[in-house]
Amino acid sequence: MLKIISESSTRIKTALVLFFVFILVSYFDTLFLVWLFFGFFMIASISESTKLFGLEHNYIIYQYSCIIWVAAYFYPNPMELVFVSLIVIASIIAYKKKTNPKIILPLLYPLVSFLFLLSLYTEFGMQVLWWLLFIVAGADTGAYFVGKSIGKTKFSETSPKKTLEGVVGGVILAGILGPLFALNEISYASALVISLVVAVSSVFGDLFESYLKREADVKDSGTILPGHGGVLDRTDGYLFGAIIMLVLLRVVI
C-alpha cells in the first residue's frame, strides 16, 4: 500500500490542492463564487472535449457555452437552458447546412453536466456538493487502491486497467462515506441508496471518458492537472454523478 501511495504522490498532491480550493469556495458559499468555480472547469472541459470530438478551433462552441453559462447565473433553473441551447444549435445546423453537426456534442458533454452541478447547488445548497464529492472521490479512490492491490478481473474492454474488484471496492467505500455527508432531510436508507447509485454512475462516467479518449487515440484529455491529466480526467465521474443525484433527490425530497 505504501508503495502505491509513493507512486501516486503527484496525483495525491494535485487532489489536495483541488480539495483546498473547494474548501475555500465552500467557506464563502456564494452563488457567484460557485458559478465562477464551475465555470473555470467548464471552459477547460469544453476545450478538452473539442479535441476529443475532433472539433479543434471551432470557436462557436466556446461562444455558445459562455452565453449559456452567463445566462445560467441569472436563470433560476440552469439545467433547463440545455434544451434552449440544443434548439438554437439545431436551428443553426438546419439553416446553414454546412455547419458540422458534431458541434452539438460538447454541449451534451460536458456542458449539460456542469449545468446540473450548478442546479444541485442552487436547489440543495453546498452540502449536496460535499456529498457528491465524497461519493465520487470514494468510488474513485477505492477503485484505484483496491484495483492496484488485488484487482485481477477486467471490468471492461474500454478501460483495460479498470478491474471489477476495484469497481466493487470503490462503490463500497462510496456507500460508507456518502451517507455521512448526506442531506439532513432524508433518511439513512435513502442516503445509502442514492450514494450507491451515484457511485455506480460515476464509474460509468469515468468509463465513458475512457471511451472518448480511446476513440481519439489519446492517453489523457489534457495536461492541466499533474498526475491526473486533464479536467475531464478528474471530473468525469462528477459529470455523470451530478445528473443522477439531482434526479434522485427530486424523487426523494
Side-chain angles (χ1 to χ4, degrees), residues 16-93:
L16 289 175
V17 170
L18 293 173
F19 185 63
F20 177 72
V21 172
F22 184 70
I23 288 175
L24 287 179
V25 173
S26 179
Y27 175 78
F28 291 102
D29 192 9
T30 65
L31 174 58
F32 177 74
L33 199 56
V34 172
W35 173 82
L36 200 63
F37 177 72
F38 284 149
F40 168 79
F41 287 104
M42 184 274 292
I43 291 297
S45 297
I46 289 290
S47 175
E48 294 172 4
S49 69
T50 57
K51 296 175 183 177
L52 294 178
F53 292 129
L55 295 167
E56 296 98 328
H57 311 302
N58 200 321
Y59 298 109
I60 192 173
I61 296 171
Y62 293 94
Q63 294 171 12
Y64 284 117
S65 298
C66 289
I67 290 171
I68 293 167
W69 193 250
V70 170
Y73 178 76
F74 299 98
Y75 189 69
N77 297 303
M79 69 174 196
E80 292 180 1
L81 295 173
V82 172
F83 304 105
V84 177
S85 65
L86 293 179
I87 289 173
V88 172
I89 293 295
S91 300
I92 292 172
I93 291 172

Side-chain angles (χ1 to χ4, degrees), residues 11 36 101 110 150 156 165 185 200 203 206 251:
R11 180 185 178 94
L36 200 63
I150 63 171
S156 170
E165 292 84 359
E185 300 93 311
V200 171
V203 170
D206 178 71
V251 171

Side-chain angles (χ1 to χ4, degrees), residues 135 171-172 174-176 191-201:
I135 292 173
V171 171
I172 290 174
I176 295 171
L192 177 60
V193 171
I194 291 174
S195 296
L196 291 174
V197 174
V198 171
V200 171
S201 70

